[in-house]
């Protein structure tokens, strides 16, 4: 019985590791319109532009700052947090003001990964684990209507 449980745990670990590795998303590099800096933007729209308020190192966003994503004159998203080599890294908050959706938590290689919080346009809140902005694994969801 113990061997069977250990074997199943091993299979689960291998499956989970392969699933996480397969979740790597292509990098969409965008040149910032207000300075000579590149940023990886997973929600890039053709014809959109980014403005970066922060430092640049070797042509890439570096350190804490604010990235504003626009399409024409419409603000699509605001990311406030850390960047490393032009990718979101560490803690941060991503807000889509038009739809009132937001992600807050840990970012790795430009993607939300690990623990965090997602709030949707109806006020529903999910707190738990994420892989590439998707709810994954354990978490708690509170409905906007209080249920």
């Amino acid at each position: 019985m113990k061997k069977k449980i250990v074997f199943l745990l091993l299979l689960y670990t291998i499956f989970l590791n392969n699933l996480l590795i397969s979740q790597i998303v292509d990098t969409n590099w965008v040149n910032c319109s207000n300075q000579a800096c590149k940023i990886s933007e997973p929600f890039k729209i053709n014809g959109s532009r980014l403005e970066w308020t922060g430092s640049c190192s070797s042509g890439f966003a570096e350190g804490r700052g604010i990235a504003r994503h626009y399409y024409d004159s419409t603000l699509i998203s605001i990311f406030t947090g850390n960047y490393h080599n032009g990718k979101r890294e560490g803690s941060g908050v991503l807000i889509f003001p038009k739809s009132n959706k937001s992600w807050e938590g840990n970012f790795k290689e430009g993607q939300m990964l690990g623990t965090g919080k997602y709030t949707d346009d109806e006020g529903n809140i999910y707190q738990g684990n994420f892989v590439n902005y998707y709810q994954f694994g354990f978490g708690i969801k509170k409905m906007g209507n209080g249920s």
Side-chain angles (χ1 to χ4, degrees):
M1 184 67 173
K2 277 187 178 181
K3 286 182 182 181
K4 198 177 220 180
I5 291 173
V6 170
F7 178 72
L8 289 174
L9 285 173
L10 180 62
L11 278 178
Y12 178 75
T13 303
I14 292 169
F15 169 76
L16 183 60
N17 187 43
N18 287 334
L19 181 63
L20 292 176
I21 289 170
S22 70
Q23 293 294 318
I24 296 171
V25 176
D26 289 338
T27 303
N28 295 312
W29 291 106
V30 179
N31 293 314
C32 296
S33 62
N34 64 328
Q35 57 178 306
C37 216
K38 286 185 181 179
I39 289 183
S40 171
E41 177 52 60
F43 299 103
K44 178 185 175 195
I45 300 170
N46 287 336
S48 63
R49 65 182 173 85
L50 278 171
E51 289 182 359
W52 168 242
T53 306
S55 299
C56 291
S57 178
S58 301
F60 295 97
E62 189 68 40
R64 188 152 184 83
I66 300 171
R68 289 181 176 85
H69 188 190
Y70 294 91
Y71 184 76
D72 290 329
S73 60
T74 304
L75 179 63
I76 298 170
S77 67
I78 304 167
F79 179 79
T80 304
N82 297 305
Y83 279 84
H84 180 63
N85 292 328
K87 295 181 180 181
R88 296 172 183 154
E89 190 76 31
S91 64
V93 179
L94 175 63
I95 299 170
F96 287 83
K98 199 169 184 178
S99 65
N100 290 322
K101 294 179 182 181
S102 67
W103 285 264
E104 180 178 355
N106 298 306
F107 293 82
K108 182 77 176 159
E109 289 289 318
Q111 301 296 319
M112 187 165 184
L113 183 65
T115 59
K117 177 173 127 179
Y118 169 70
T119 305
D120 70 17
D121 55 349
E122 295 177 358
N124 303 318
I125 298 171
Y126 169 82
Q127 288 185 292
N129 296 315
F130 289 85
V131 174
N132 295 343
Y133 299 96
Y134 291 100
Q135 300 166 14
F136 182 83
F138 179 76
I140 297 171
K141 189 163 191 172
K142 294 180 184 175
M143 304 307 285
N145 63 10
S147 62

